[in-house]
Amino acid sequence: MKIKFSPQSKWGEQSLALLLVFCLFLIIARIVVAVQHPEPDQPLFSNLPLDIPMLCAIITAILGGLTGLYTMVKEKDYSVTVSVATIVGMAVLFLVIRNFAAPF
């Protein structure tokens, strides 16, 4: 089993692209926070300029994780970037499920 840095399959490239889009949405959300200075305990969907990039980041992270998992299982692409995309996506999925199962 050879481990490479860049993905070797089409699905691996897609998981890497989704990971990069996830990072882009996080940067956009951080810029919105820096400009707006929102209240710390706002309910969901009360600040749409911040909620939309964060929801998009969550969706792209989960999709990138599932795509990376598919790539590792079916395509046997064990590159570092696919592994990182899978770990980030599964961590975000775990946090979302945990938040719905036992909210604050």
Side-chain angles (χ1 to χ4, degrees):
M1 173 172 73
K2 291 186 179 183
I3 298 176
K4 300 188 181 211
F5 184 75
S6 62
Q8 304 298 314
S9 65
K10 178 185 77 163
W11 288 102
E13 293 172 358
Q14 294 296 322
S15 68
L16 175 62
L18 286 167
L19 180 66
L20 294 176
V21 171
F22 165 71
C23 293
L24 178 72
F25 279 128
L26 285 182
I27 291 170
I28 291 170
R30 182 65 186 146
I31 291 171
V32 170
V33 167
V35 169
Q36 274 191 346
H37 304 292
E39 298 292 324
D41 291 331
Q42 288 182 340
L44 190 62
F45 298 120
S46 65
N47 187 2
L48 284 180
L50 179 60
D51 291 340
I52 290 172
M54 287 307 295
L55 287 173
C56 291
I58 289 169
I59 291 168
T60 55
I62 292 171
L63 287 176
L66 293 175
T67 306
L69 192 63
Y70 173 80
T71 302
M72 292 174 79
V73 171
K74 292 288 183 180
E75 303 284 329
K76 306 290 189 222
D77 186 1
Y78 300 111
S79 63
V80 173
T81 54
V82 172
S83 300
V84 169
T86 304
I87 291 170
V88 168
M90 293 301 115
V92 170
L93 181 64
F94 171 74
L95 291 174
V96 167
I97 290 171
R98 186 183 64 101
N99 194 24
F100 281 118
F104 304 106

